Amino acid sequence: MNQPSILKIPLPMLKLIASSSRIHRVHPTVLRPAHDSASPLLRVLSSLVGLSWRNTNVGGRYFFCSGSSDSSDRVVDAGVQAAEESESKASAIVPTYPRPEDYLTVLALPLIHRPLFPGFYMPVFVKDPKLLAALQESRERQAPYAGAFLLKDEPEADPSAVSSSDTDKNVYDLKGKELFNRLHEVGTLAQISSIHGDQVILIGHRRLRITEMVSEDPLTVKVDHLKDKTYNKDDDIIKATSFEVISTLRDVLKTSSLWRDHVQTYTKHIGDFTYPRLADFGAAISGANKLQCQQVLEELDVYKRLKLTLELVKKEMEISKIQESIAKAIEEKISGEQRRYLLNEQLKAIKKELGLETDDKTALTGKFRERIEPKREKCPPHILQVIDEELAKLQLLEASSSEFSVTRNYLDWLTALPWGEYSDENFDVTRAQKILDEDHYGLTDVKERILEFIAVGKLRGTSQGKIICLSGPPGVGKTSIGRSIARALNRKFFRFSVGGLADVAEIKGHRRTYIGAMPGKMVQCLKNVGTANPLVLIDEIDKLGRGHAGDPASALLELLDPEQNANFLDHYLDVTIDLSKVLFVCTANVVEMIPNPLLDRMEVVAIAGYITDEKMHIARDYLEKTTREACGIKPKQVEVTDAAILALIENYCREAGVRNLQKHIEKIYRKIALQLVRQGEMIDATVEPIKENIDSDELGQNTVQNKNSELVEGSDPEKEGETSDKVDKVAKESEEDKEIKTKTIEKVLVDESNLTDFVGKPVFHAERIYDQTPVGVVMGLAWTAMGGSTLYIETTLVEEGEGKGTLHPTGQLGDVMKESAQIAHTVARAILLEKEPENPFFANSKLHLHVPAGATPKDGPSAGCTMTTSLLSLAMKKPVKKDLAMTGEVTLTGKILPIGGVC
């Protein structure tokens, strides 16, 4: 490397420096010997990074600037020898022999991410052991130089889509010719500063261009040393461009201390700034991608290189502005929140000092005491004792501890319960009867039981809780009657379903030791209703589940036991609660599914279902009215006949309840609503064009008449008469249109004849096959899931002969029913022998007994009397009355046993 020479300053610059009339001690690592135009750049950039012009390290150099007008550029050198020694010590680039420009064959190092610019450090990881050994050997031979070349991207790969690890892995696999083809032609001659393991520290020196490959492993190439194109140092455009780069760099350097370190390192190892070095510096420290940096590296025209660098630093400046705005916005937000927090804390402290506000614990304690104070006289003593203990405990706990939140929630539940608060009950039997009849038709047994409960309470002056279980098929009103009972008794109503419930904690609550612990349903009920004597409806009690968390049916034993629920213990509260005033109403479909110990504690009221007459009243008085209002239909717009409702009940809805009947009535009214809307749209579409034509005709006539009246001062009485007649005619026509529109929307009539248009074909058909029952045919009664039905039992003679008296039953009968047929055959023979001793019909006749609907399985003992009557009708040749049906089990002695389930 060439030795530094004495800095020469042109006359204009001497005058500029001389005007300061002071001695400047310049830092040796900043002001270095350079060309004439370097000093202004050096002073600007060194001022950017905050370098001191006053305090410097030892070994400086003094320059005395003369202010004379002599044309000769004279520099007085003070202490040249000391300065030269400090210059040699400050330089980090060790001079080597031969010189760097003498190296025409170098090792090729691939660079993955960015090119290396002259004057910059770059650490490179070398994974190839042969290349690493070659670099180490070159450094030991006092020839520590290699060529650093940027690696090209794969043609089919997107540079932005390839991860860094994948790129490194691909580079390590490249060797020889393949690696040579992937390198950019222009690179940098780099000095090998140090080698630590597989990490090689490079310092860029000058630009190179690859000419040819010398060897493949390790890759060695021949290079040409590139020099910048000649340029005019005094060119105004170059100066202006460089000053703009410096100005932009100054703004960028203010935002990042890392960039200031770049300037210090660069000036320390490369010397003074020149125009080419300024361009390299700006491109190197910018955040541009590798292709843009490579473009700057390959550009040898100084002006063009400065322009490219200016674009990059301008873009960097915009990024810095965005970064600064983002940082400022976040800082303002954070500082605003912190300021608000501090002000709130100060406000709390001031209020506390003035006694205007208490802390959180004191406020909570005051809230709980205020909540329990009105109930203190009615609250049990053991409850007050627990509350006082917990309040004292709350004062000793820290607000941030987990025990504090547990205690706070516990006190919240304890003080929120209605201790000793009861709603005023209704003991007026007549009023209660009226309320029950308003909501439900029938259900006499349930209503009587509720009225009895009210009567006992009136005589005693107070009422006790009871446990009533309403059992019956779906849709008979078990759940809805519970709400009516609560209204009749003037009690609060709470419902919860236990269908599928498999966790005891839902009934008894969780222990407070668990996170998210909650009381059981009964404690939640009391808090919600606000009274200690509500009506609690426990729905679907026959569908209780059982899981790993215990048996809820066993937990309900304490809740539904009148002797135990006066001291019901919830696991969460851990204090006894009096539930003796609560009226429990349970619902179930099948009583047999309820566990016997639980069933024993309940008073079962069976709801068998509704007969046809009751369904008619319910449909007329309740279902139809509610559905019509829900669909927005007026009573005058529709009429549903009694015959249609009766047909709907018998042919579509034979269930014991009325839920299916309600669905069919809703279906009818939905179709009626659609029909009314369609009629209204058709009438509107027909009337509007007529109205528009009439309006347009009248508008034309009125316009002509107005023009004529303007031309003629006088008026013709005949024309006035004609005009008034036309106006009356138009008014009459509009009234007629209204009458037509009103008459067109006719009332929708639903009767038995058009019922299928609304609900489809009948699901059930009439069971009567015969208008007049023939000999040997009798109608019987059968129990079904729908509530019950009728079926025929037919007997016919197959053949007669001496001693052929047998009976063959068919119709998919069960074993019990086949036995009933044999018993009926024996009883019929005995009766016939008693009535007509000389009649040998059963002894000599082969008989066939059949029960129609052979696809339906049938079983049960209650068909005995019907079969006996059918056999006797055939034997005595006498038909049975057509409106007579029978059922009941018959014994061998001819006795008919009563059937169960019929009231």
Side-chain angles (χ1 to χ4, degrees):
M1 187 173 181
N2 295 334
Q3 294 296 325
S5 59
I6 300 300
L7 178 63
K8 296 182 180 180
I9 304 177
L11 181 60
M13 189 60 66
L14 282 173
K15 292 180 180 180
L16 178 64
I17 298 175
S19 63
S20 61
S21 300
R22 289 186 298 174
I23 299 176
H24 297 277
R25 189 166 183 257
V26 183
H27 198 289
T29 62
V30 177
L31 279 179
R32 303 293 304 276
H35 299 289
D36 297 341
S37 302
S39 295
L41 307 179
L42 173 62
R43 296 193 59 176
V44 172
L45 282 177
S46 59
S47 65
L48 299 181
V49 299
L51 298 178
S52 174
W53 291 84
R54 300 183 180 91
N55 301 323
T56 58
N57 298 330
V58 293
R61 194 172 193 179
Y62 294 91
F63 295 94
F64 295 91
C65 303
S66 174
S68 63
S69 58
D70 189 10
S71 61
S72 63
D73 298 339
R74 184 178 58 177
V75 178
V76 181
D77 187 359
V80 175
Q81 183 178 357
E84 288 178 352
E85 291 176 359
S86 64
E87 286 291 335
S88 61
K89 292 178 181 179
S91 178
I93 301 178
V94 180
T96 58
Y97 299 95
R99 296 175 303 176
E101 55 265 26
D102 296 334
Y103 287 89
L104 301 179
T105 302
V106 293
L107 294 170
L109 287 176
L111 303 179
I112 301 172
H113 304 293
R114 290 175 67 88
L116 174 62
F117 283 89
F120 279 85
Y121 278 105
M122 177 177 286
V124 178
F125 290 93
V126 179
K127 300 297 183 181
D128 188 356
K130 291 185 179 181
L131 179 58
L132 188 62
L135 293 173
Q136 186 71 37
E137 182 182 356
S138 298
R139 191 165 183 271
E140 292 174 355
R141 288 191 293 105
Q142 299 299 320
Y145 288 96
F149 301 93
L150 182 66
L151 194 70
K152 297 178 182 177
D153 295 322
E154 296 183 13
E156 66 277 5
D158 183 6
S160 60
V162 180
S163 64
S164 176
S165 59
D166 294 339
T167 306
D168 295 345
K169 185 177 179 180
N170 295 336
V171 170
Y172 300 149
D173 296 338
L174 296 177
K175 302 289 183 182
K177 187 70 173 177
E178 185 180 2
L179 179 60
F180 178 76
N181 294 332
R182 287 282 301 278
L183 296 178
H184 282 274
E185 292 184 359
V186 177
T188 307
L189 179 67
Q191 178 183 341
I192 305 171
S193 176
S194 62
I195 300 177
H196 303 284
D198 59 351
Q199 186 184 49
V200 180
I201 307 298
L202 304 177
I203 303 177
H205 273 266
R206 58 176 58 208
R207 286 169 169 77
L208 300 176
R209 184 188 301 277
I210 298 176
T211 57
E212 60 178 308
M213 183 174 65
V214 177
S215 62
E216 294 188 1
D217 195 13
L219 181 61
T220 308
V221 295
K222 284 187 177 182
V223 294
D224 288 339
H225 291 260
L226 303 179
K227 294 183 179 180
D228 297 330
K229 296 180 180 179
T230 58
Y231 62 94
N232 185 7
K233 301 172 185 177
D234 298 327
D235 187 272
D236 294 337
I237 298 178
I238 294 179
K239 286 183 178 181
T241 307
S242 63
F243 288 149
E244 183 63 25
V245 172
I246 292 172
S247 175
T248 308
L249 283 175
R250 179 181 58 192
D251 296 336
V252 176
L253 291 174
K254 290 178 181 178
T255 63
S256 175
S257 59
L258 179 63
W259 284 39
R260 291 194 285 271
D261 296 339
H262 277 305
V263 176
Q264 291 179 353
T265 305
Y266 187 81
T267 56
K268 182 177 180 180
H269 295 288
I270 201 63
D272 294 336
F273 277 96
T274 60
Y275 293 136
R277 291 174 181 174
L278 177 64
D280 291 344
F281 174 77
I285 67 174
S286 69
N289 59 44
K290 60 182 182 180
L291 296 180
Q292 292 174 330
C293 292
Q294 179 66 25
Q295 187 179 1
V296 175
L297 184 67
E298 294 177 356
E299 185 58 59
L300 300 180
D301 187 286
V302 176
Y303 171 65
K304 292 182 180 180
R305 192 189 303 172
L306 281 171
K307 285 185 63 178
L308 292 174
T309 301
L310 182 59
E311 293 178 5
L312 299 183
V313 294
K314 284 290 186 183
K315 186 182 297 184
E316 200 67 29
M317 185 61 200
E318 294 299 324
I319 295 174
S320 298
K321 289 181 179 178
I322 296 173
Q323 177 186 357
E324 186 178 359
S325 63
I326 294 173
K328 185 178 180 181
I330 295 175
E331 184 179 356
E332 288 178 354
K333 181 179 179 182
I334 295 174
S335 62
E337 292 176 355
Q338 291 177 345
R339 183 171 178 271
R340 184 179 181 86
Y341 173 76
L342 292 175
L343 289 175
N344 284 331
E345 291 299 320
Q346 292 175 2
L347 182 62
K348 287 181 182 179
I350 293 171
K351 288 184 176 181
K352 188 175 180 180
E353 290 294 330
L354 295 175
L356 300 177
E357 187 178 278
T358 57
D359 58 1
D360 293 340
K361 290 194 293 185
T362 308
L364 279 174
T365 305
K367 184 184 75 171
F368 292 143
R369 292 189 184 279
E370 182 181 354
R371 187 186 293 176
I372 199 64
E373 194 61 35
K375 313 172 190 175
R376 185 170 289 274
E377 295 181 358
K378 302 177 183 179
C379 187
H382 67 282
I383 302 295
L384 291 175
Q385 181 181 356
V386 172
I387 292 175
D388 292 338
E389 291 175 356
E390 292 296 324
L391 286 173
K393 177 182 176 182
L394 187 69
Q395 288 291 336
L396 301 176
L397 294 173
E398 289 294 333
S400 59
S401 65
S402 59
E403 187 69 20
F404 181 84
S405 61
V406 173
T407 306
R408 180 190 59 197
N409 293 336
Y410 182 51
L411 282 170
D412 189 22
W413 279 101
L414 275 179
T415 56
L417 293 181
W419 303 107
E421 295 185 0
Y422 302 97
S423 57
D424 296 332
E425 289 194 81
N426 171 40
F427 293 117
D428 189 348
V429 177
T430 305
R431 179 175 174 272
Q433 177 78 51
K434 182 179 179 182
I435 292 173
L436 293 173
D437 290 340
E438 284 178 358
D439 296 339
H440 292 81
Y441 183 85
L443 301 180
T444 307
D445 293 342
V446 181
K447 294 177 181 178
E448 284 292 327
R449 181 65 188 88
I450 299 304
L451 295 177
E452 292 169 3
F453 177 80
I454 295 174
V456 172
K458 184 175 183 179
L459 294 177
R460 290 187 57 188
T462 181
S463 62
Q464 291 294 322
K466 288 293 181 182
I467 296 95
I468 300 174
C469 179
L470 305 178
S471 68
V476 296
K478 301 185 297 298
T479 303
S480 59
I481 192 65
R483 194 178 299 274
S484 298
I485 294 172
R487 193 161 68 93
L489 296 174
N490 195 28
R491 290 194 179 200
K492 299 289 185 178
F493 178 77
F494 184 83
R495 171 192 172 274
F496 70 94
S497 177
V498 294
L501 187 67
D503 190 359
V504 176
E506 290 291 328
I507 306 296
K508 300 276 289 181
H510 301 83
R511 298 287 181 186
R512 291 199 305 276
T513 54
Y514 297 113
I515 297 175
M518 289 282 290
K521 284 292 184 182
M522 278 310 305
V523 177
Q524 297 178 33
C525 161
L526 295 179
K527 181 181 178 182
N528 290 339
V529 299
T531 59
N533 62 337
L535 186 146
V536 179
L537 180 70
I538 304 177
D539 218 353
E540 310 294 350
I541 200 170
D542 58 329
K543 300 176 181 62
L544 279 169
R546 184 172 185 175
H548 68 281
D551 184 11
S554 301
L556 286 173
L557 292 177
E558 180 185 2
L559 180 65
L560 299 181
D561 191 342
E563 301 298 329
Q564 299 182 35
N565 60 13
N567 296 306
F568 178 74
L569 182 66
D570 185 87
H571 290 162
Y572 182 84
L573 295 183
D574 205 23
V575 291
T576 57
I577 307 172
D578 184 9
L579 300 178
S580 60
K581 303 292 184 181
V582 178
L583 176 59
F584 291 96
V585 178
C586 306
T587 66
N589 295 124
V590 183
V591 179
E592 289 76 13
M593 297 294 294
I594 304 175
N596 287 331
L598 188 59
L599 184 63
D600 183 60
R601 288 164 167 77
M602 297 185 293
E603 180 182 349
V604 180
V605 179
I607 304 176
Y610 299 104
I611 61 177
T612 303
D613 183 58
E614 289 176 335
K615 286 185 178 181
M616 282 287 294
H617 282 87
I618 293 171
R620 279 297 187 194
D621 299 338
Y622 301 96
L623 303 181
E624 188 181 3
K625 180 181 178 182
T626 305
T627 306
R628 186 171 57 241
E629 293 176 354
C631 294
I633 300 175
K634 298 178 181 179
K636 63 181 181 180
Q637 292 178 315
V638 63
E639 180 182 355
V640 182
T641 62
D642 293 340
I645 295 180
L646 182 61
L648 193 65
I649 294 171
E650 292 182 347
N651 300 333
Y652 296 87
C653 310
R654 291 189 179 182
E655 296 83 4
V658 293
R659 188 170 291 143
N660 193 32
L661 179 61
Q662 181 181 6
K663 293 178 182 177
H664 280 77
I665 292 176
E666 290 175 353
K667 186 176 182 180
I668 291 173
Y669 273 89
R670 285 197 303 269
K671 291 187 178 294
I672 292 173
L674 178 60
Q675 186 174 341
L676 291 174
V677 171
R678 284 178 174 172
Q679 287 182 5
E681 290 179 353
M682 291 176 62
I683 294 171
D684 291 340
T686 305
V687 172
E688 285 297 330
I690 299 174
K691 185 177 179 181
E692 290 176 359
N693 293 335
I694 294 173
D695 293 342
S696 61
D697 293 342
E698 293 303 321
L699 180 61
Q701 292 177 5
N702 292 335
T703 305
V704 173
Q705 290 174 3
N706 291 335
K707 290 182 178 180
N708 293 334
S709 60
E710 292 176 0
L711 294 174
V712 182
E713 294 181 359
S715 59
D716 190 351
E718 295 181 0
K719 290 183 180 180
E720 289 182 358
E722 291 177 1
T723 303
S724 60
D725 292 341
K726 289 180 180 178
V727 172
D728 295 339
K729 184 179 179 181
V730 171
K732 187 176 181 181
E733 287 177 353
S734 62
E735 292 177 358
E736 291 176 355
D737 290 338
K738 292 180 181 178
E739 293 177 0
I740 292 172
K741 184 175 181 179
T742 305
K743 291 180 180 179
T744 306
I745 303 179
E746 299 178 354
K747 178 185 288 188
V748 179
L749 178 64
V750 180
D751 56 8
E752 189 176 3
S753 60
N754 65 350
L755 185 63
T756 56
D757 298 336
F758 295 93
V759 291
K761 295 182 178 180
V763 179
F764 306 100
H765 300 278
E767 296 169 349
R768 182 176 293 276
I769 304 175
Y770 309 100
D771 294 333
Q772 178 62 45
T773 53
V775 174
V777 178
V778 181
M779 182 181 292
L781 298 176
W783 178 91
T784 65
M786 297 294 181
S789 64
T790 60
L791 75 163
Y792 287 95
I793 295 181
E794 303 172 339
T795 307
T796 184
L797 177 64
V798 179
E799 60 177 330
E800 287 184 325
E802 187 69 25
K804 291 187 177 182
T806 58
L807 178 66
H808 178 62
T810 59
Q812 201 174 351
L813 308 180
D815 293 337
V816 177
M817 205 164 181
K818 289 180 181 178
E819 291 178 357
S820 297
Q822 295 297 331
I823 295 171
H825 188 248
T826 303
V827 172
R829 290 184 69 169
I831 294 174
L832 184 63
L833 182 62
E834 181 182 350
K835 297 293 182 180
E836 300 178 5
E838 298 179 356
N839 190 346
F841 179 78
F842 288 109
N844 301 327
S845 301
K846 183 178 180 180
L847 304 178
H848 183 188
L849 185 145
H850 177 67
V851 183
T856 305
K858 310 171 192 69
D859 201 1
S862 298
C865 69
T866 311
M867 292 179 177
T868 304
T869 306
S870 176
L871 292 170
L872 289 174
S873 173
L874 181 64
M876 302 175 69
K877 295 181 174 56
K878 291 182 180 179
V880 182
K881 293 181 179 180
K882 63 179 181 179
D883 55 354
L884 177 66
M886 58 188 70
T887 184
E889 181 180 357
V890 68
T891 65
L892 277 174
T893 58
K895 299 293 184 180
I896 298 178
L897 302 179
I899 61 173
V902 177
C903 301

